């Protein structure tokens, strides 16, 4: 009888020990799982911003040389291209419309990160004397980019010029422990394409 009682007590002690170990290991396990989730979100956001910058540059390259033109083959919005105008080209009214089109294209591909509010544009010759901006820059003249306009607000994009789009977004982790360590991370992407 004594052996049976001792065996039951040992099993009870072991199950209590297992519960304590589980209670200690569970928070660490959950932290690792949520950290992996945040890392995955970070990778997806970074990739989405790069793709969004490329889409903005692609659209910018197709419209930059057509800003303000009143060619009969032009439409002011891509929604106007239909069966009656299958080969129409989008000719933005002004630099503001051009910028709006590029921002819409960027946000169309950046839906996984939410709306991107910092989109910078620049139209340059792409030569040594007028290179595309690099590093941290803005699209105001003197800020590294030019917003595809000169100091008077006139468009500077011409066929053959280099259209560069830079997008920036602030990534915020959602895991409480990680967000208390890393509040936010600034992500960005840029791309350049030749206007045609």
């Amino acid at each position: 009888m004594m052996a049976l009682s001792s065996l039951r007590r040992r099993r009870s002690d072991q199950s209590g020990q297992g519960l304590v170990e589980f209670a200690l290991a569970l928070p660490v396990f959950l932290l690792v799982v949520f950290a992996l989730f945040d890392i995955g979100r970070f990778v997806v956001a970074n990739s989405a911003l790069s793709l969004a910058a490329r889409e903005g540059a692609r659209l910018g390259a197709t419209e930059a040389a057509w800003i303000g033109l009143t060619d009969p083959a032009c439409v002011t919005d891509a929604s106007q291209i239909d069966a009656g105008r299958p080969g129409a080209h989008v000719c933005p009214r002004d630099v503001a419309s051009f910028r709006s089109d590029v921002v819409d294209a960027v946000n169309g591909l950046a839906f996984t990160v939410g709306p991107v509010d910092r989109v910078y544009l620049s139209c340059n010759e792409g030569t040594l004397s007028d290179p595309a901006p690099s590093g941290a820059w803005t699209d105001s003249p003197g800020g590294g980019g030019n917003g595809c306009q000169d100091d008077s607000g006139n468009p500077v994009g011409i066929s053959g010029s280099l259209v560069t789009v830079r997008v920036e977004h602030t990534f915020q982790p959602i895991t409480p422990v990680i967000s208390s360590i890393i509040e936010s991370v600034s992500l960005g992407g840029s791309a350049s394409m030749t206007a045609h």
Side-chain angles (χ1 to χ4, degrees):
M1 258 327 182
M2 187 80 104
L4 188 58
S5 172
S6 173
L7 183 62
R8 284 183 185 157
R9 192 176 11 194
R10 210 174 316 144
R11 282 187 184 164
S12 175
D13 289 346
Q14 286 176 348
S15 91
Q17 179 184 354
L19 284 174
V20 170
E21 289 174 356
F22 178 75
L24 291 173
L26 183 64
V28 174
F29 174 74
L30 290 176
L31 179 65
V32 169
V33 167
F34 286 119
L36 288 174
F37 180 71
D38 268 339
I39 290 169
R41 285 183 58 243
F42 177 84
V43 170
V44 167
N46 198 33
S47 177
L49 289 175
S50 294
L51 290 172
R54 267 186 246 137
E55 179 63 14
R58 184 204 61 77
L59 183 105
T62 61
E63 291 185 7
W66 296 81
I67 299 172
L69 295 182
T70 57
D71 190 288
C74 286
V75 294
T76 56
D77 186 73
S79 65
Q80 296 171 337
I81 300 173
D82 55 14
R85 293 180 157 190
H89 195 51
V90 177
C91 301
R93 288 192 257 332
D94 51 23
V95 176
S97 297
F98 170 68
R99 178 177 174 68
S100 176
D101 290 349
V102 171
V103 169
D104 288 347
V106 164
N107 282 315
L109 275 184
F111 60 88
T112 57
V113 297
V116 177
D117 55 352
R118 291 171 295 182
V119 178
Y120 306 112
L121 305 171
S122 190
C123 296
N124 306 82
E125 292 176 13
T127 62
L128 288 176
S129 61
D130 188 22
S134 62
W137 52 283
T138 64
D139 59 5
S140 59
N146 61 15
C148 291
Q149 60 187 340
D150 60 18
D151 292 334
S152 302
N154 299 316
V156 295
I158 58 170
S159 184
S161 66
L162 197 60
V163 177
T164 304
V165 175
R166 178 162 179 78
V167 297
E168 294 178 356
H169 178 71
T170 303
F171 174 81
Q172 296 177 323
I174 60 171
T175 306
V177 174
I178 294 174
S179 63
S180 67
I181 297 169
I182 303 170
E183 291 182 19
S184 63
V185 178
S186 184
L187 297 177
S190 60
S192 299
M193 294 193 182
T194 306
H196 44 48

